[in-house]
């Protein structure tokens, strides 16, 4: 297909995994490249996670990928070969269809062979989704072959470079100090030009993009030291090949540790699922790759094994540890008919699990997507960091030049000595710590919360929730267990409860289920014209009787008579009775309310209930109550509080309370299921204890960011003057040790972010 043609990629948001970034300026360069693409509304690049979140309106995915590659970096993609059942004349239609699918970078179709080669972004689509889309449009597709995502292992590359550097670096030092400078030059060449190649290429890339970065500093320092030594060797002067080679060697130590920390974090959530699984195929037990498990397969899970996909227990019994979902390590007994989540571990027993969701639809896959989105969070302080990072490298180069001129011309130092001071300045300055300070702290907190069953969908909520002063909490299903029961009822018309339960039997609301279970709902098959009014009630025609069941306020608006209780019943336009309900308060609700009040937060219960049960819950917890609210009424309460200057968080079930959660500064959904995508909250918690975890981790994350930035600014403020020789000869930092200090500064930021307190 000719360049520049084809359908536009009209996606609201694309997420890319960028390879090759290792300093704040790298992230800035990629950001500029992406924002330069026509149709890009905004781009946010996260150094710690190596991700770019791009908001587009009319931009193609191919253009985004090519923009990153033109800037000298790479994007993780996956290449797949599909066999498609089609006629030759359909090839153009298939090509247009492929290139119009979300997540497709580029595609080519062979009319003669019926093969298509497709390059996809594995972070926004999958091979299975592409094949399914083709099949749904009448072109049956099967996967012929697939290449693993084209993602280099940064850690592996650093280890290889480190091995070369430390094989030849000490040898260079030995040869130089045994007066064999020519051999020292030869020994240092593999270190400077192979182990240090990434820095030279990065410096060239930055130059081509008319910017500077950490690579510029390292490459300039090593090449100046090495080339001057080569010239001095020819002129029979002093040489310091050891400085050039050890500079690279020491720098690689820190960078390898940093790469290990990042790779360990990125693999943490992905490692929740096993690599292999046992399934029944044609009556035989077969071991397959976990990514080959399909909906409808029967998984065989033994004690100690991890469940490979979401499903329902078809046979067997066992205790399953579901911390991936709830954050609680206590095993839960599962038997026939029980739902199970991929990533859970069978502690004891044996299960046959019928797979209901596999691949990207599993809970763990959704969790990984949510975590990746949260990793790209941009806290308010990041704008200041970006401005500093943009000017950092040019400033350091200027300081190094001034250092050389001052020592050589003003203080009369020999050229070699002045040059060593300038090289030390270049080697000591570290923009990486600045670039990692914010994203690394956020990344660690998001992963730590995920391990506790708290899914942060919007990473910026970590910062916002810290400032919340009012928590508005839904009652039914949030503070209470969501399993109400009828404790008393009054019938003004005989049979009113049977009619009410018949209509309620068609609703999935917890209150409706309680009424239907209490009175049987035996006439539900005769219900016609059923309607559900979210937050108010239900209506329907049973036989020839018009029945409305709902909040007393709702009944009062539509029927004659006085409506009482928690739920009222109306038959043929007149109040026919009412019910009183009881819904047990969750044990952790008192703990959460006590915690929130203990840290000075205001707590308000917002509920659609208008009966006495709401008052009992509020008085028992000792909090304010606003009752009789519709879903829109809850949202209006949130807007009112925000209008008064409050920072508001709304805690609800994430589905019925979606409007209020979107209106709040932070929406927190209490998840009762495993479909993350359906919950509207910025944060999803498995239990109310997760709210406490979120608040504590929020304070930790923001504090870590501030401490990381203080370290990064303080390090550069102290070490650069020392490297320039400000306290020489009392304190002297040679270029190799300056480079070691520089690389370790970013390691310290990473390790400090990982520290639990």
């Amino acid at each position: 297909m000719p360049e520049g043609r084809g359908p536009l990629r009209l996606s609201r948001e694309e997420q890319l995994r960028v390879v090759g970034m290792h300093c704040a300026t790298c992230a800035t360069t990629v950001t500029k490249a992406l924002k330069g693409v026509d149709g890009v509304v905004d781009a946010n690049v996260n150094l710690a996670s190596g991700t770019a979140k791009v908001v587009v309106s009319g931009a193609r995915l191919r253009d985004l990928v090519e923009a990153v590659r033109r800037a000298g970096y790479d994007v993780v993609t996956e290449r797949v070969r599909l066999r498609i059942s089609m006629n030759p004349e359909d090839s153009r239609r298939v090509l247009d269809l492929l290139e119009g699918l979300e997540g497709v970078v580029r595609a080519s179709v062979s009319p003669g062979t019926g093969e298509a080669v497709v390059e996809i972004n594995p972070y926004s689509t999958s091979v299975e989704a592409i094949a399914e889309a083709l099949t749904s449009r009448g072109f049956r597709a099967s996967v012929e072959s697939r290449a693993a995502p084209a993602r280099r292992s940064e850690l592996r590359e650093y280890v290889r470079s480190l091995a070369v550097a430390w094989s030849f670096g000490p040898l260079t030092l030995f040869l130089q100090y045994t007066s064999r400078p020519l051999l020292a030059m030869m020994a240092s060449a593999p270190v400077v030009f192979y182990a240090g190649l990434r820095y030279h290429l990065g410096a060239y890339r930055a130059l081509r993009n008319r910017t500077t970065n950490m690579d510029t500093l390292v490459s300039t320092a090593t090449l100046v030291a090495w080339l001057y030594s080569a010239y001095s060797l020819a002129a029979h002067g002093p040489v310091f090949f050891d400085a050039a080679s050890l500079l690279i060697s020491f720098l690689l130590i820190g960078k390898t540790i940093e790469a290990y920390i990042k790779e360990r974090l990125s693999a943490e959530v992905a490692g929740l699922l096993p690599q292999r699984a046992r399934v029944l195929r044609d009556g035989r037990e077969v071991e397959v790759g976990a990514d080959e498990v399909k909906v409808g397969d029967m998984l065989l899970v033994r004690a100690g094994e991890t469940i490979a996909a979401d499903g329902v227990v078809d046979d067997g019994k066992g205790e399953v540890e579901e911390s991936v979902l709830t954050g609680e390590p206590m095993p839960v007994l599962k038997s026939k008919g029980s739902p199970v989540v991929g990533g859970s571990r069978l502690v004891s027993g044996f299960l046959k699990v019928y797979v209901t969701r596999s691949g990207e639809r599993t809970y763990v896959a959704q969790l990984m997507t949510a975590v990746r989105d949260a990793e790209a969070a941009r806290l308010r302080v990041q704008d200041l960091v970006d401005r500093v990072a943009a000017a950092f490298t040019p400033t350091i180069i200027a300081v190094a030049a001034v250092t050389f001129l001052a020592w050589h011309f003003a203080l009369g130092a020999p050229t070699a000595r002045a040059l060593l001071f300038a090289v030390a300045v270049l080697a000591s300055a570290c923009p990486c710590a600045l670039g990692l300070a914010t994203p690394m702290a956020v990344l660690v907190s998001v992963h730590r919360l995920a391990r506790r069953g708290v899914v942060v969908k919007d990473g910026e909520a970590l910062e916002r929730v810290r400032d919340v002063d009012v928590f508005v909490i839904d009652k039914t299903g949030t503070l209470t267990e969501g399993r109400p029961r009828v404790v008393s009822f009054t019938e003004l018309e005989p049979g009113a409860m049977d009619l009410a339960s018949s209509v309620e039997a068609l609703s999935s609301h917890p209150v409706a289920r309680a009424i239907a279970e209490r009175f049987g709902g035996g006439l539900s098959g005769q219900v016609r014209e059923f309607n559900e009014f979210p937050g108010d009630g239900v209506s329907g025609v049973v036989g020839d009787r018009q029945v409305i069941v709902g909040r007393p306020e709702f009944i009062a608006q539509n029927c004659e008579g006085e409506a009482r209780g928690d739920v009222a019943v109306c038959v043929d336009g007149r109040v026919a009775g009412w019910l009183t309900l009881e819904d047990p308060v969750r044990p952790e609700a008192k703990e959460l309310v006590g915690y929130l009040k203990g840290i000075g937060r205001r707590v308000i219960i917002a509920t659609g209930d208008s009966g006495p049960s709401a008052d009992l819950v509020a008085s028992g917890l000792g909090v304010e109550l606003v009752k009789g609210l519709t879903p829109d009424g809850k949202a209006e309460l949130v807007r009112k509080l925000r209008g008064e200057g409050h920072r508001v968080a709304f805690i609800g079930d994430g589905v019925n309370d979606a409007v209020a959660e979107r209106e709040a500064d932070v929406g927190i959904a209490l998840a009762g299921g495993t479909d993350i995508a359906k919950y509207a909250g910025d944060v999803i918690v498995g239990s109310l204890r997760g709210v406490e975890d979120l608040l504590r981790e929020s304070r930790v994350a923001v504090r870590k960011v501030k401490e990381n930035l203080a370290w990064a600014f303080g390090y550069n403020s102290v070490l650069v003057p020392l490297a320039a020789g400000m306290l020489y000869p009392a304190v002297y930092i040679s270029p190799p040790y300056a480079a070691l200090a520089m690389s370790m500064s970013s390691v310290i930021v990473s390790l400090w972010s990982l520290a639990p307190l």
Side-chain angles (χ1 to χ4, degrees):
M1 183 173 184
E3 185 71 16
R5 295 181 60 189
L8 295 178
R9 300 292 187 251
L10 298 175
S11 175
R12 186 182 64 86
E13 185 175 282
E14 278 287 351
Q15 183 153 309
L16 308 175
R17 178 75 69 172
V18 182
V19 178
M21 299 187 300
H22 50 260
C23 73
T25 316
C26 294
T28 302
T29 302
V30 174
T31 301
K32 289 179 179 177
L34 289 169
K35 286 184 175 180
V37 176
D38 289 339
V40 171
V41 178
D42 192 22
N44 181 21
V45 179
N46 186 292
L47 175 62
S49 62
T51 57
K53 185 184 288 187
V54 191
V55 180
V56 299
S57 177
R60 298 187 307 173
L61 177 57
R62 176 193 296 187
D63 296 332
L64 302 181
V65 172
E66 290 180 350
V68 173
R69 288 172 176 167
R70 279 197 304 271
Y73 301 87
D74 200 4
V75 175
V76 174
T77 60
E78 183 176 356
R79 192 176 297 272
V80 62
R81 186 179 298 275
L82 299 172
R83 174 75 64 180
I84 304 172
S85 297
M86 65 176 181
N87 297 319
E89 62 270 20
D90 291 328
S91 61
R92 181 67 195 193
R93 182 182 168 200
V94 171
L95 179 61
D96 289 342
L97 177 59
L98 283 170
E99 293 202 328
L101 294 175
E102 181 179 353
V104 173
V105 179
R106 56 173 55 81
S108 63
V109 177
S110 171
T113 64
E115 286 188 348
V117 177
V118 188
E119 184 181 4
I120 66 171
N121 174 14
Y123 295 93
S124 59
T125 190
S126 68
V127 177
E128 291 75 19
I130 299 296
E132 186 178 310
L134 286 170
T135 302
S136 68
R137 288 164 173 81
F139 299 102
R140 191 164 54 86
S142 59
V143 179
E144 287 282 290
S145 64
R146 59 192 298 178
R151 179 183 180 182
R152 304 193 309 263
S153 170
E154 189 178 60
L155 177 60
R156 194 178 302 118
E157 291 185 0
Y158 271 121
V159 168
R160 189 184 303 120
S161 297
L162 185 67
V164 171
W166 282 96
S167 295
F168 290 93
L171 178 61
T172 302
L173 185 66
F174 170 75
L175 292 171
Q176 183 165 312
Y177 282 90
T178 54
S179 302
R180 286 177 274 188
L182 181 60
L183 292 176
M185 182 180 75
M186 294 171 63
S188 67
V191 182
V192 173
F193 297 105
Y194 175 78
L197 181 61
R198 65 172 59 245
Y199 301 110
H200 306 315
L201 292 176
Y204 169 72
R205 181 172 59 214
L207 181 63
R208 194 178 65 187
N209 289 311
R210 298 179 181 178
T211 185
T212 54
N213 57 19
M214 186 202 82
D215 295 330
T216 306
L217 299 178
V218 175
S219 180
T220 302
T222 53
L223 290 179
V224 165
W226 196 89
L227 292 173
Y228 177 82
S229 296
Y231 163 77
S232 187
L233 175 62
H236 304 288
V239 298
F240 32 89
F241 294 113
D242 61 324
S245 60
L246 289 178
L247 189 155
I248 293 289
S249 301
F250 281 134
L251 180 64
L252 286 170
I253 292 176
K255 285 297 175 183
T256 303
I257 296 172
E258 183 186 322
Y260 168 75
I261 293 171
K262 289 182 183 178
E263 194 153 303
R264 196 188 78 177
L265 280 172
S266 65
E268 200 170 55
V269 176
L272 291 173
L273 288 177
Q275 296 297 311
R276 309 290 293 175
R278 295 186 184 88
V279 299
L280 280 179
R281 296 272 171 87
D282 300 324
R284 294 185 302 109
E285 181 177 327
V286 180
E287 186 172 304
V288 299
D291 58 348
E292 298 176 46
V293 175
K294 308 296 183 189
V295 172
D297 277 344
M298 191 70 70
L299 288 175
L300 303 178
V301 189
R302 294 176 173 82
E305 294 179 345
T306 300
I307 300 170
D310 299 352
V312 177
V313 176
D314 185 72
D315 191 21
K317 182 183 291 186
E319 291 188 315
V320 177
E321 187 260 297
E322 294 184 309
S323 60
V324 65
L325 177 65
T326 64
E328 302 291 340
M330 188 65 66
V332 178
L333 182 65
K334 300 287 184 178
S335 57
K336 186 177 177 64
S338 301
V340 291
V341 176
S344 301
R345 186 173 62 88
L346 181 61
V347 177
S348 63
F350 172 79
L351 298 177
K352 285 185 179 179
V353 177
Y354 178 83
V355 177
T356 57
R357 289 192 304 195
S358 63
E360 75 224 21
R361 294 183 178 88
T362 63
Y363 175 79
V364 168
Q366 294 182 59
L367 173 63
M368 290 169 62
T369 299
V371 167
R372 283 199 301 266
D373 289 343
E375 286 173 356
R378 185 178 180 84
L379 305 192
R380 291 188 292 265
V381 72
Q382 193 63 38
D383 292 332
L384 170 63
V385 174
D386 288 347
R387 289 196 296 270
V388 172
F392 185 87
T393 304
T395 301
I396 292 301
I397 292 173
V399 170
V402 169
T403 298
F404 175 79
L405 294 173
W407 276 101
H408 187 55
F409 294 103
L411 300 176
T415 302
R417 172 64 63 189
L419 201 59
L420 281 175
F421 282 121
V423 168
V425 169
L426 294 172
S428 65
C430 184
C432 297
L434 285 172
L436 285 172
T438 299
M440 185 59 77
V442 172
L443 185 149
V444 169
S445 290
V446 166
H447 280 256
R448 190 178 286 144
L449 285 169
R451 291 198 300 270
R452 298 175 191 163
V454 179
V455 182
V456 181
K457 295 173 68 177
D458 178 3
E460 293 167 18
L462 271 176
E463 184 177 34
R464 295 198 303 270
V465 75
R466 181 173 170 270
D467 301 325
V468 166
D469 62 317
V470 178
F471 282 81
V472 181
I473 310 177
D474 172 55
K475 180 181 77 72
T476 304
T478 304
L479 287 172
T480 64
E481 293 180 357
R483 295 195 295 270
R485 62 185 184 90
V486 178
V487 293
S488 65
F489 67 93
T490 298
E491 274 190 331
L492 301 181
E493 179 177 324
M497 295 305 151
D498 291 330
L499 293 171
S501 68
S502 299
V503 178
E504 292 282 40
L506 301 183
S507 172
S508 61
H509 193 280
V511 171
R513 288 199 302 268
I515 295 173
E517 289 172 5
R518 173 65 176 79
F519 298 101
L523 302 176
S524 59
Q526 302 178 27
V527 176
R528 297 177 288 110
E529 300 177 22
F530 175 79
N531 282 295
E532 190 157 10
F533 306 92
D536 285 322
V538 297
S539 71
V541 178
V542 184
D544 60 350
R545 312 295 299 273
Q546 177 69 48
V547 181
I548 306 175
V549 187
R551 294 187 305 114
E553 292 84 358
F554 179 62
I555 298 299
Q557 293 169 5
N558 293 279
C559 304
E560 296 179 4
E562 182 182 1
R564 303 179 186 175
D566 294 311
V567 177
V569 181
C570 169
V571 178
D572 294 333
R574 294 192 60 81
V575 174
W578 53 81
L579 309 95
T580 302
L581 306 176
E582 180 183 76
D583 189 3
V585 174
R586 294 178 186 270
E588 64 268 28
K590 289 185 178 180
E591 298 173 17
L592 174 61
V593 170
Y595 173 76
L596 293 176
K597 292 169 72 174
I599 59 175
R601 302 301 192 265
R602 180 181 170 192
V603 181
I604 301 173
I605 295 178
T607 180
D609 293 350
S610 55
S613 63
D615 297 282
L616 288 173
V617 171
S619 61
L621 295 174
V623 298
E624 301 174 48
L625 172 67
V626 181
K627 62 181 183 177
L629 295 176
T630 64
D632 287 338
K634 294 177 185 179
E636 183 57 39
L637 172 63
V638 172
R639 283 192 288 269
K640 177 175 177 292
L641 290 167
R642 293 186 68 191
E644 294 170 356
H646 294 289
R647 300 279 186 174
V648 182
F650 189 95
I651 307 175
D653 65 10
V655 180
N656 296 326
D657 299 316
V659 178
E661 286 173 15
R662 283 193 289 265
E663 286 291 337
D665 293 283
V666 179
I668 302 174
L670 183 66
T674 60
D675 191 355
I676 292 175
K678 78 178 184 182
Y679 295 105
D682 302 308
V683 181
I684 301 171
V685 295
S687 70
L688 290 177
R689 292 188 180 93
V691 178
E692 295 184 42
D693 291 333
L694 173 66
L695 289 168
R696 291 192 179 98
E697 196 61 48
S698 169
R699 290 198 297 273
V700 169
V702 173
R703 191 182 78 240
K704 294 285 187 185
V705 168
K706 293 178 179 178
E707 291 167 349
N708 286 345
L709 288 173
W711 164 258
F713 282 114
Y715 161 84
N716 285 291
S717 300
V718 171
L719 204 69
V720 170
L722 292 178
M726 182 173 287
L727 298 181
Y728 182 81
V731 177
Y732 171 60
I733 302 177
S734 65
Y737 290 105
L740 178 63
M742 186 264 269
S743 65
M744 293 307 295
S745 68
S746 56
V747 172
I748 288 172
V749 165
S750 300
L751 291 175
W752 187 246
S753 298
L754 286 167
L757 298 177

